[in-house]
């Protein structure tokens, strides 16, 4: 797999050569090992192990519905009263983080109305804080530690 701009962790892989899998410690099961999943697993481990995010407040593959349409957030951080606080969107390392990626995550945010949006391709990580009062957002220089949220 790809070398990322994230710390290594004790990766658990399984499956077969034709259908490799990686262990998702948040969903507590093996999932298909895709480039996007490789990024997700590294990123969520980094948030928990290095940024102090509580494992129990993070969820992967969170389904949203708009009428009959179903959407899926890659990861969501909830606050202590189970309200969404952050949406994280992952892309493969070969995918550029462009306006289209931000359009996708802002669509999810129309429903969730979170404080933070993050996009990562494992090489580049972009975080912005929403300011609903002024109808704006601010790009942050780094992903905040959990205690800074």
């Amino acid at each position: 797999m790809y070398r990322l701009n994230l710390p290594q962790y004790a990766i658990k892989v399984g499956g077969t050569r034709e259908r490799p899998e990686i262990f998702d410690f948040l969903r507590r099961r093996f999932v298909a090992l895709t480039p996007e999943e490789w990024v997700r697993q590294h990123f969520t481990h980094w948030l928990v192990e290095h940024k102090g995010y509580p494992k129990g407040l993070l969820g992967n593959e969170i389904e949203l519905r708009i009428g009959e349409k179903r959407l899926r957030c890659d990861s969501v951080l909830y606050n202590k009263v189970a309200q969404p606080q952050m949406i994280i969107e992952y892309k493969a390392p070969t995918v550029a983080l462009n306006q289209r990626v931000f359009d996708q995550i802002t669509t999810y945010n129309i429903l969730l109305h979170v404080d933070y949006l993050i996009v990562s391709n494992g090489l580049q990580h972009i975080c912005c804080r929403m300011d609903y009062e002024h109808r704006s957002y601010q790009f942050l220089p780094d992903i905040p530690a959990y205690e800074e949220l």
Side-chain angles (χ1 to χ4, degrees), residues 54 56-58 76-86 115 146 149:
L57 297 181
L58 280 166
V76 174
L77 172 72
Y78 296 91
N79 63 21
K80 292 177 181 174
V81 291
Q83 297 171 321
Q85 186 174 16
M86 176 185 288
D115 297 326
Y146 181 74
L149 300 179

Side-chain angles (χ1 to χ4, degrees), residues 77-138:
L77 172 72
Y78 296 91
N79 63 21
K80 292 177 181 174
V81 291
Q83 297 171 321
Q85 186 174 16
M86 176 185 288
I87 302 170
I88 309 165
E89 179 65 26
Y90 308 104
K91 296 299 178 190
T94 56
V95 176
L97 301 183
N98 55 27
Q99 187 62 49
R100 191 167 145 195
V101 174
F102 277 94
D103 291 346
Q104 180 181 2
I105 198 170
T106 55
T107 299
Y108 303 152
N109 198 35
I110 290 169
L111 294 172
L112 296 182
H113 205 73
V114 299
D115 297 326
Y116 296 89
L117 301 175
I118 297 176
V119 294
S120 176
N121 62 8
L123 303 173
Q124 181 183 16
H125 324 295
I126 301 172
C127 179
C128 64
R129 181 180 352 195
M130 304 303 295
D131 182 347
Y132 295 103
E133 183 179 335
H134 297 102
R135 295 181 171 206
S136 65
Y137 54 88
Q138 174 189 8

Side-chain angles (χ1 to χ4, degrees), residues 44 51 55 60-61 69 73 80 108 134:
T44 54
K51 293 287 190 172
K55 177 179 161 183
N60 284 340
E61 299 284 331
K69 188 174 183 176
C73 291
K80 292 177 181 174
Y108 303 152
H134 297 102

